[in-house]
Amino acid sequence: MQLLFIHSDYIEYEAKEKTRVAEPISESSRNERVEEALVVFIAVEREDEKDARYVVEKASEEAISVFNKVNAERIVLYPYAHLSSELASPGRSIEILREMENELLSRGVEVKRAPFGWYKSFTLRCKGHPLSELSRKIKVREGAEAEEAEVEKKSKALEAEEKAESHFFFMDEKGNLIRTADFEFVEEQENLRKFFVYESEKRRAVDKIPPHVELMKRLEIADYESSSDPGNLRFYPKGKLIKTLLEDYVRNSVAEYGAAEVETPIMYSTEHPSLKDYLERFPARQYSMVGKVGKPDLFLRFSACFGQFLMGKDMSMSYKNLPLKIFELASSFRKEKRGELVGLRRLRKFTMPDMHTFCKDMGEALEEFKKQYELCMRVLEGIGFSSKDYEVAIRFTKEFYDDDANKRFIEELVRIAGKPVLIEMWDQRFFYFVLKFEFNFVDALEKASALSTVQIDVENAERYGIKYVDANGKENRPIILHCSPSGAIERCMYALLEKAYLDKEGGVLPMLPLWLSPTQLRIIPVAERHLEYVEGVLPLLTGIRVDVDDREETVSKKIRDAGREWIPYVAVVGNKEVEKKTLNVTIREESSDKKQKVEMDVSALKERIEEGLKNKPFWRLPVSYRLSERTKFVGG
RNA sequence: GCCGCUGUGGCUUAGAGGUAGAGCGGCUGAUUCGUAAUCAGCAGGUCGUGGGUUCAAAUCCCACCAGCGGCUCCA
């Protein structure tokens, strides 16, 4: 609460015109003149709502203390919104002002309160003595927010979740459901074991900073931005390139699958009835913005669900259109707790490919579910993750699994995965889905995070009023599938970096997939006189991100730097190559610590690289192709 | 958010109450070099921010900010 005290000879005001939030007043109280008053201009702020009682008391104490010091005869409370940019809601503001009026009255002070929500003219004569102008800020005491959060009313879903119990199993490729205690891990199931431990037990401390955080900085991919809210990162040109390529790839894959791309708003009113349940369930997880006076507050979306459901509600769908798929590459915001944020793994602002499929019934939903399960595998494969790189979790309600056909369906999913998967069975449904799967990546610190996921949603069609017309002309609720084929784009980048790190630990030279490598081919002239030949070769290499290390450095130095940047193809050009019109190429994926050099002509190299880029998006190099002209974005 | 640890030029870091030092990177010059760091010189620091203790603070104390780990959480 912001307070401005003016000790006045008199104040005169007139309520001229109503604003939208005006309180009703009698005709006689429109005009007032008060002599010898301590005028208290007040802005009630948003945070005051958390502990109104305390704020009212504190503010009243302050007012009385000033009142006594200056020897005023009475107090005028004057609502003055312009003292703050973070106002409380009008309704609460009026209440708090009234409480303050009563508080002062009960302490024996003569009080007048100017009407709230009116455009008022006023004349004020300030006495001008040293204490006649003072301002105060009343802060909500420490801990009030936490208290508030705890008493926050819990939705039914949240209560149910607390009561819900779940049980873990493993299922092998033959469809045997095995109790976790009875499962024996073989060597290649080490990651499954780590994943299960992560899901079910406490972990011990690791005193390493996550490898990908170091890499994302060193490779000039992304970095923290301490001037923003934590978890909102900056991306350098190379990182933005990788991100754009991944986005394009996922977007293309989903379009090919038959989804229509849409765009929906990133912010929504907190007062929309369909959105309220979500907000109640995760009260502290929103970025919220205070609406202007008389307007509802807004929150930033944490997924594309709302936008697409609200769109779905207004569509007229026939059973003939189903299954209907819409997709969005959605910038999403989740105000994760401070300690949960890590590099590119867990962010507050991230990019979520989000596809929703409207299906006419559970049969169709399951059919689609399986197709999307396979879609997710293909998309991850395309990004650079084989099924060895992730662990499958399938989660469902007991009720779902009690059905024989469903049981066979789950077994089929495990067969497709081709290796044992983690099963979680809930004894009751506590959120909107009955069945979901995720593909989880296990990183160098043995932490698991979900990449792809599909969920079968049986609740939101009802909540949002989404319907389709069936063959009999009757309206029905569709079953909705939520699918993120790759998981968050940033998280894919995290997993790629962690995977490269793990490769390095295993003695393999770390690198990004060719199509994502910022520089795909680096040409290193031995001396300046070889540059001309190199420049002549460049026009033959269109469609490939090529750069030239034209710095005045030794060949050894340039080779080392290319290696540190994980460049997939490094070509050295000296007298021999100029003479024979070839390139001396080191192919990273075929090299170990000992360099493997191959003499190739330019067209052979081009063909080989193009083969590796097939069916993948391409963007040109975002920085100068000459290293001598390049700016460093990160030191070291 | 809570608990613990950390914070020194662009990067990595030495310094533990008494004049901030180095390597990399940068700049300048020399070197035109054949597969993981060519040589020399120069510039660059509010010691995360704000308070406090002290004759004196990077160093001790407090608060805040950011990062890391744990708890928690992951729609």
Side-chain angles (χ1 to χ4, degrees):
Chain A
M1 177 180 280
Q2 294 282 357
L3 302 169
L4 173 65
F5 298 99
I6 307 277
H7 187 203
S8 66
D9 292 324
Y10 67 89
I11 179 168
E12 226 177 39
Y13 58 80
E14 182 186 356
K16 292 265 194 191
E17 210 180 307
K18 284 181 180 178
T19 68
R20 211 172 297 171
V21 295
E23 64 175 326
I25 52 170
S26 65
E27 204 47 41
S28 63
S29 55
R30 282 184 83 120
N31 265 302
E32 295 285 356
R33 180 184 167 100
V34 187
E35 309 279 343
E36 291 300 321
L38 176 68
V39 181
V40 185
F41 291 98
I42 302 180
V44 182
E45 294 182 291
R46 190 178 174 75
E47 62 163 28
D48 302 337
E49 297 183 12
K50 288 174 195 156
D51 198 351
R53 190 59 234 149
Y54 173 82
V55 172
V56 165
E57 234 167 73
K58 271 293 187 198
S60 304
E61 274 168 28
E62 280 292 336
I64 288 175
S65 150
V66 176
F67 173 79
N68 288 334
K69 264 188 215 148
V70 301
N71 266 322
E73 292 178 19
R74 50 194 70 82
I75 288 180
V76 172
L77 296 180
Y78 196 106
Y80 203 68
H82 314 289
L83 290 173
S84 171
S85 54
E86 292 177 353
L87 292 170
S89 71
R92 288 295 281 140
S93 295
I94 298 178
E95 276 173 39
I96 287 171
L97 287 165
R98 284 185 183 139
E99 281 170 34
M100 196 165 158
E101 183 182 10
N102 291 334
E103 178 70 28
L104 291 169
L105 283 169
S106 74
R107 296 190 188 205
V109 181
E110 182 187 338
V111 186
K112 186 113 233 158
R113 188 168 60 79
F116 183 93
W118 290 74
Y119 294 109
K120 298 181 283 288
S121 67
F122 72 85
T123 312
L124 173 72
R125 189 180 168 88
C126 174
K127 286 189 180 286
H129 62 75
L131 291 178
S132 65
E133 296 169 81
L134 296 166
S135 71
R136 292 281 185 275
K137 175 163 178 69
I138 308 293
K139 279 190 161 175
V140 172
R141 70 196 144 169
E142 288 285 309
E145 189 165 2
E147 282 168 33
E148 174 87 1
E150 271 165 37
V151 303
E152 186 121 18
K153 54 187 184 291
K154 288 175 182 170
S155 72
K156 284 182 200 129
L158 190 51
E159 279 171 20
E161 181 176 343
E162 279 169 5
K163 275 184 258 155
E165 273 189 37
S166 78
H167 302 278
F168 285 110
F169 301 89
F170 292 102
M171 188 181 281
D172 66 19
E173 306 94 299
K174 297 190 193 84
N176 299 313
L177 197 65
I178 304 162
R179 291 194 317 178
T180 53
D182 299 338
F183 191 81
E184 284 173 28
F185 296 96
V186 301
E187 203 186 325
E188 65 265 26
Q189 290 157 358
E190 185 54 17
N191 272 344
L192 180 63
R193 198 199 52 118
K194 289 177 185 170
F195 173 48
F196 171 62
V197 168
Y198 184 82
E199 282 277 313
S200 58
E201 288 173 23
K202 306 260 179 264
R203 280 136 275 136
R204 64 256 162 270
V206 266
D207 57 349
K208 251 199 301 195
I209 89 160
H212 86 274
V213 172
E214 228 172 312
L215 289 170
M216 77 184 193
K217 295 182 187 187
R218 210 203 77 214
L219 297 172
E220 298 192 328
I221 289 172
D223 209 340
Y224 295 115
E225 172 54 78
S226 58
S227 301
S228 180
D229 196 41
N232 287 258
L233 270 56
R234 57 158 75 140
F235 289 79
Y236 299 114
K238 291 177 197 171
K240 179 63 182 172
L241 171 72
I242 295 169
K243 186 162 179 276
T244 304
L245 288 166
L246 283 166
E247 288 170 357
D248 284 359
Y249 174 71
V250 174
R251 174 185 274 134
N252 288 340
S253 305
V254 172
E256 212 168 275
Y257 183 70
E261 186 169 2
V262 297
E263 182 176 322
T264 61
I266 65 165
M267 58 182 89
Y268 296 88
S269 161
T270 51
E271 281 167 29
H272 190 288
S274 304
L275 306 182
K276 269 193 168 154
D277 279 3
Y278 277 103
L279 294 178
E280 274 175 25
R281 189 163 188 276
F282 302 99
R285 300 257 155 178
Q286 311 330 311
Y287 275 106
S288 49
M289 285 164 291
V290 182
K292 285 247 168 66
V293 175
K295 300 273 191 185
D297 292 349
L298 297 167
F299 68 95
L300 293 179
R301 68 172 174 200
F302 45 79
S303 74
C305 300
F306 324 115
Q308 294 187 18
F309 292 165
L310 293 167
M311 189 180 273
K313 175 192 60 131
D314 293 336
M315 290 166 65
S316 56
M317 285 182 237
S318 148
Y319 72 100
K320 293 177 190 163
N321 306 134
L322 305 186
L324 182 95
K325 292 154 255 176
I326 54 179
F327 167 77
E328 182 165 5
L329 196 60
S331 285
S332 304
F333 302 82
R334 296 182 189 177
K335 202 152 184 186
E336 308 289 9
K337 285 191 214 159
R338 193 62 187 72
E340 296 162 1
L341 302 168
V342 215
L344 290 166
R345 174 170 174 247
R346 195 88 182 275
L347 301 150
R348 281 184 175 169
K349 189 268 169 175
F350 58 96
T351 313
M352 191 70 171
D354 210 346
M355 174 170 75
H356 291 94
T357 308
F358 302 104
C359 302
K360 64 174 183 284
D361 51 31
M362 189 51 87
E364 188 173 273
L366 288 173
E367 208 174 297
E368 266 300 311
F369 187 93
K370 195 172 115 189
K371 283 187 196 160
Q372 294 183 12
Y373 182 83
E374 290 166 323
L375 169 72
C376 291
M377 291 179 82
R378 285 201 302 279
V379 167
L380 289 190
E381 181 78 41
I383 289 174
F385 303 112
S386 77
S387 63
K388 284 187 194 136
D389 293 319
Y390 54 82
E391 298 308 318
V392 182
I394 304 177
R395 308 175 203 254
F396 41 77
T397 57
K398 187 164 187 309
E399 193 190 355
F400 178 87
Y401 191 69
D402 282 344
D403 180 292
D404 268 352
N406 288 346
K407 199 173 280 181
R408 284 196 300 278
F409 180 79
I410 301 293
E411 289 161 11
E412 170 68 7
L413 294 179
V414 178
R415 217 168 5 255
I416 294 169
K419 59 177 190 176
V421 313
L422 181 70
I423 300 284
E424 182 176 11
M425 208 187 301
W426 299 299
D427 59 1
Q428 57 174 299
R429 179 164 73 85
F430 60 83
F431 202 38
Y432 60 74
F433 44 81
V434 291
L435 169 64
K436 73 179 287 197
F437 80 82
E438 313 116 36
F439 296 151
N440 294 275
F441 180 82
V442 179
D443 72 17
L445 270 32
E446 303 190 10
K447 291 167 187 300
S449 3
L451 296 172
S452 319
T453 179
V454 178
Q455 301 157 5
I456 298 185
D457 175 348
V458 295
E459 206 174 278
N460 279 306
E462 179 72 35
R463 176 177 294 132
Y464 284 81
I466 302 168
K467 57 194 182 298
Y468 72 93
V469 177
D470 68 17
N472 303 318
K474 281 205 343 226
E475 287 189 347
N476 276 297
R477 298 290 180 214
I479 305 270
I480 304 172
L481 263 54
H482 300 236
C483 168
S484 186
S486 62
I489 300 295
E490 294 82 354
R491 189 169 276 186
C492 289
M493 296 170 73
Y494 138 82
L496 285 166
L497 291 173
E498 290 281 333
K499 179 170 145 72
Y501 176 85
L502 288 166
D503 280 346
K504 194 183 94 185
E505 296 291 284
V508 177
L509 289 179
M511 62 187 294
L512 292 171
L514 179 66
W515 69 284
L516 290 171
S517 296
T519 296
Q520 291 161 331
L521 167 62
R522 169 155 302 165
I523 305 183
I524 297 178
V526 171
E528 218 174 306
R529 64 176 180 280
H530 305 119
L531 249 179
E532 196 184 335
Y533 170 77
V534 170
E535 292 284 352
V537 162
L538 291 180
L540 307 174
L541 292 165
T542 50
I544 295 171
R545 286 187 293 272
V546 190
D547 61 20
V548 178
D549 195 343
D550 61 336
R551 296 174 304 165
E552 290 183 37
E553 297 288 352
T554 59
V555 174
S556 295
K557 178 71 178 293
K558 294 177 183 179
I559 293 287
R560 177 173 190 268
D561 289 346
R564 276 174 59 82
E565 279 188 60
W566 301 356
I567 293 172
Y569 294 88
V570 178
V572 173
V573 171
N575 289 340
K576 215 164 58 184
E577 288 73 24
V578 172
E579 199 179 301
K580 293 167 77 178
K581 306 252 176 283
T582 57
L583 296 169
N584 194 312
V585 186
T586 302
I587 301 169
R588 190 171 177 85
E589 66 179 351
E590 292 175 3
S591 310
S592 57
D593 285 342
K594 219 171 161 218
K595 300 277 179 244
Q596 311 283 309
K597 291 166 283 181
V598 194
E599 196 167 314
M600 299 176 93
D601 61 39
V602 178
S603 60
L605 178 61
K606 189 185 186 205
E607 243 168 70
R608 172 165 173 140
I609 295 178
E610 278 175 343
E611 182 61 27
L613 294 177
K614 249 203 316 207
N615 303 323
K616 290 296 183 344
F618 178 82
W619 280 92
R620 48 169 294 148
L621 197 66
V623 290
S624 169
Y625 78 96
R626 283 174 176 253
L627 263 67
S628 66
E629 293 172 355
R630 244 180 234 180
T631 315
K632 277 207 159 53
F633 282 81
V634 181

